Amino acid sequence: MIVLWFKKDLRLHDHPALCAAVDAAHANQCPLLCLYIYEDQVIHAEDFSRRHLVFINDCLAELQASLRAIGQELWTARGEVVEIMHRLHQNYPILHIFSHQETGNAITYRRDIQVKAWSQKQRIAWQELPQNGVVRCLPTRDGWAKQWAIRMRQELLDVPEKFPQVPQGLDQLLDRSLRSPASFDLSSDGERQLQRGGSRPAFELLDSFLQRRGKHFTRDMSSPVTAYDACSRLSPYFTHGAISVREAYQIGCDRKLDLKVMKAEKSMPAADLKLWNSALRSFLGRLRWHCHFIQKLEDEPELESRNLFRACDGIRENEWNDKYYQAWCEGKTGYPIVDACMRALRATGWINFRMRAMLMSFSSYHLWLHWRKTGLHLARLFTDYEPGIHWPQVQMQSGTTGINSIRIYSPAKQAIDQDPQGIFIRQWVPELQEMPDCYLAEPWNAPAMEQKMNHCLIGIHYSQPVVDHATAYAAAQRRIRASRSPQKARQERQRIYQKHGSRKR
């Protein structure tokens, strides 16, 4: 039989591995097994949580229904991939395995090495096909953007019209059930407003973004007040492959062509056209950005666990303050915008990019916590956790890449700039519900009488700041710059840029 191994590609449309598997099954006149494996080592890893499995199961339920509608079946198993594949092969010889090229965490990286070794030993061909703009074994970053553009413009792949037969007699080895979070002892961590998984909601979101919600994307994406509606919210669907980046890119380009027609026909006001063109330019640019960052982890898997800029080794490793860490995790740092973002993220599984950067910056600079543990906490909270984007961004916001500017966010300034009326803060930090706008960014500055009148005594009803911003800011700048002495670091920075730097300019 031919095995189509679904991983983080939970869709039927524009699916290179699926199309190749169907063609191979027809050519060899053998059945096709569509297989998803619940891997205990992945699900019990430090960067996985219940919310991830809930979203995956949503995607799998839709995928299962779509396959049944065309006469196929999605089989599932639980365990280690090599063991499951070996049992299958002993009972029903595998001719060929197809899957997509995955750029995952260290666990899936090692697993793929084991699968490759096993398949070679068994003389089974395993073909991994690209599903986005990430290039495996990339020799140089020069010209990468051109390769990305070529891939994005390739013709979208339709769902094959005729699927091969389903293998018979595998009921003793596999089943068709979806494993619940409870079966893995995964408990809730406060989620209550998560996005629903599947291809259908992904395309609905893309359509509403391109036709209605995205008009003010460029202006509204930075504020947590407006970002939930103004951003595309497609990131978890890209992460789990419910929609391909190429599909979103081409549908976005089609929308740009529609705008050109509207401009020629004068059927849309010039001001609206300007807003939409700006939004689409930003959106399409972020699709390229998406693959650009995953390419970093593809090229250097170790950046998930060690400083990219080795000159930063030792600056945080031996310092840890568990009190600071717990306050940050629980949204009780005493900085309202930080606490509101953390609480919102815990409940919804999503927060906009600027606020993600601020959360990471605050933990790394103000609290001087090592990025690995705080990055794992955020990974568990992000429904859209994509290792290739997450870890380079975590390091960028922690000042350990060597090629990016030191960016220390002021929580008070972010509150004033992004939530001037306190709408978001009051929603997620109800302790400050009655605090006047003028004190909301720094409530500890409110006079004692003001605090009493507004039923919020700092230190009793709401936390005192865990650190002083000015003191922490100065100390962080001094320490991070000390690790960047020119003589010590110049060659290392050049190496990092050559391997990972953007060639956009």
Side-chain angles (χ1 to χ4, degrees), residues 332-399:
K332 295 180 180 179
T333 66
Y335 286 89
I337 192 68
V338 173
D339 295 342
C341 286
M342 190 61 84
R343 297 181 195 186
L345 176 58
R346 186 167 61 233
T348 69
W350 187 88
I351 195 76
N352 60 310
F353 176 75
R354 180 179 287 269
M355 296 299 101
R356 294 182 189 213
M358 182 198 66
L359 283 174
M360 198 65 224
S361 169
F362 186 85
S363 70
S364 294
Y365 292 121
H366 289 78
L367 307 182
W368 205 249
L369 299 172
H370 193 279
W371 55 264
R372 174 64 183 171
K373 189 170 181 178
T374 53
L376 285 169
H377 181 72
L378 291 179
R380 292 188 291 269
L381 293 182
F382 291 148
T383 308
D384 59 7
Y385 166 57
E386 176 67 69
I389 296 175
H390 183 73
W391 294 111
Q393 276 296 317
V394 161
Q395 290 217 40
M396 182 184 295
Q397 304 305 334
S398 302

Side-chain angles (χ1 to χ4, degrees), residues 206-224:
L206 179 58
D207 182 69
S208 68
F209 174 76
L210 294 176
Q211 300 298 327
R212 176 181 56 81
R213 294 186 297 110
K215 181 178 176 181
H216 297 286
F217 173 57
T218 310
R219 182 193 69 188
D220 290 348
M221 63 180 167
S222 294
S223 169

Side-chain angles (χ1 to χ4, degrees), residues 187-384:
S187 57
S188 171
D189 55 4
E191 73 276 11
R192 60 179 189 271
Q193 299 175 31
L194 301 181
Q195 289 179 258
R196 180 170 56 91
S199 294
R200 186 170 300 143
F203 282 104
E204 289 172 354
L205 277 172
L206 179 58
D207 182 69
S208 68
F209 174 76
L210 294 176
Q211 300 298 327
R212 176 181 56 81
R213 294 186 297 110
K215 181 178 176 181
H216 297 286
F217 173 57
T218 310
R219 182 193 69 188
D220 290 348
M221 63 180 167
S222 294
S223 169
V225 180
T226 52
Y228 280 87
D229 189 59
C231 291
S232 74
R233 303 295 303 278
L234 288 169
S235 50
Y237 304 93
F238 291 141
T239 293
H240 299 288
I243 185 174
S244 73
V245 175
R246 182 164 58 188
E247 287 174 306
Y249 178 81
Q250 293 195 17
I251 294 171
C253 288
D254 288 344
R255 175 62 169 155
K256 282 186 72 175
L257 292 176
D258 291 342
L259 292 176
K260 287 185 178 180
V261 173
M262 292 178 186
K263 182 178 180 180
E265 295 176 347
K266 298 182 178 179
S267 56
M268 180 182 283
D272 289 350
L273 279 169
K274 185 176 180 180
L275 290 172
W276 273 114
N277 279 314
S278 174
L280 285 170
R281 186 164 55 250
S282 295
F283 173 67
L284 295 174
R286 276 160 177 76
L287 295 180
R288 177 180 171 276
W289 177 94
H290 174 97
C291 298
H292 162 74
F293 275 91
I294 299 176
Q295 187 71 54
K296 292 174 184 282
L297 188 63
E298 175 70 30
D299 292 343
E300 193 160 350
E302 297 83 6
L303 68 79
E304 175 192 348
S305 55
R306 65 163 176 79
N307 293 322
L308 181 60
F309 187 45
R310 302 314 298 272
C312 289
D313 289 356
I315 63 171
R316 293 190 181 96
E317 284 81 347
N318 298 321
E319 296 186 41
W320 184 259
N321 188 312
D322 202 58
K323 177 185 173 183
Y324 288 175
Y325 175 69
Q326 292 301 326
W328 179 77
C329 291
E330 295 170 11
K332 295 180 180 179
T333 66
Y335 286 89
I337 192 68
V338 173
D339 295 342
C341 286
M342 190 61 84
R343 297 181 195 186
L345 176 58
R346 186 167 61 233
T348 69
W350 187 88
I351 195 76
N352 60 310
F353 176 75
R354 180 179 287 269
M355 296 299 101
R356 294 182 189 213
M358 182 198 66
L359 283 174
M360 198 65 224
S361 169
F362 186 85
S363 70
S364 294
Y365 292 121
H366 289 78
L367 307 182
W368 205 249
L369 299 172
H370 193 279
W371 55 264
R372 174 64 183 171
K373 189 170 181 178
T374 53
L376 285 169
H377 181 72
L378 291 179
R380 292 188 291 269
L381 293 182
F382 291 148
T383 308
D384 59 7

Side-chain angles (χ1 to χ4, degrees), residues 114-133:
Q114 293 165 0
V115 172
K116 184 177 181 180
W118 172 82
S119 62
Q120 289 176 339
K121 184 177 180 180
Q122 302 298 322
R123 297 184 179 179
I124 298 170
W126 176 28
Q127 187 173 357
E128 300 172 89
L129 289 91
Q131 73 162 349
N132 52 31

